[in-house]
Amino acid sequence: MANEKNLPLPSALILDEQSNLTLAELCRACSVRAEFIVELVDEGVLAPQGREPHRWRFSGVHLYRTRVAFHLQRDLGINLAGAALVLQLLEEVDALRARLRIIGGE
């Protein structure tokens, strides 16, 4: 499992889409191991800037996606491919809700 009981809990962290986290910072913020992040990148759940893991940079959106994927896997037993699909569907629902707000549907 990706979570380790001995990893420190994250302190308050305020991020936006422009945030620029390293792999280590993302791991600390989500209380996961680097291997879990690498699996998310391999599965296409995350698309960091940079070619090699030590050069990867992640945004606030990546932080959100990592946390959701982790909880889907831990709490519901969903594999990473399933988590990727759930994240895609959640983002589509959010986009549709935003469009409804624009046209006055909500």
Side-chain angles (χ1 to χ4, degrees):
M1 186 63 64
N3 192 11
E4 290 289 323
K5 292 183 191 273
N6 60 353
L7 291 176
L9 293 174
S11 58
L13 190 61
I14 299 173
L15 298 171
D16 60 18
E17 291 183 16
Q18 303 303 315
S19 296
N20 199 12
L21 298 171
T22 65
L23 176 60
E25 290 167 337
L26 183 62
C27 290
R28 275 193 305 278
C30 296
S31 297
V32 298
R33 293 182 158 274
E35 293 81 9
F36 181 70
I37 302 298
V38 170
E39 290 175 2
L40 292 176
V41 172
D42 290 344
E43 192 62 45
V45 174
L46 303 178
Q49 293 179 344
R51 292 188 180 194
E52 296 125 9
H54 69 279
R55 295 190 186 276
W56 284 348
R57 295 298 178 263
F58 300 90
S59 69
V61 172
H62 292 119
L63 174 71
Y64 166 79
R65 291 175 68 83
T66 300
R67 286 184 173 170
V68 170
F70 174 73
H71 288 289
L72 287 169
Q73 188 178 46
R74 183 192 67 192
D75 299 341
L76 300 177
I78 295 175
N79 65 19
L80 290 180
L85 177 61
V86 169
L87 282 161
Q88 178 185 353
L89 293 173
L90 286 171
E91 289 167 356
E92 288 179 22
V93 167
D94 286 344
L96 290 171
R97 285 184 179 152
R99 287 179 67 190
L100 279 174
R101 278 193 298 275
I102 290 170
I103 61 173
E106 274 191 62

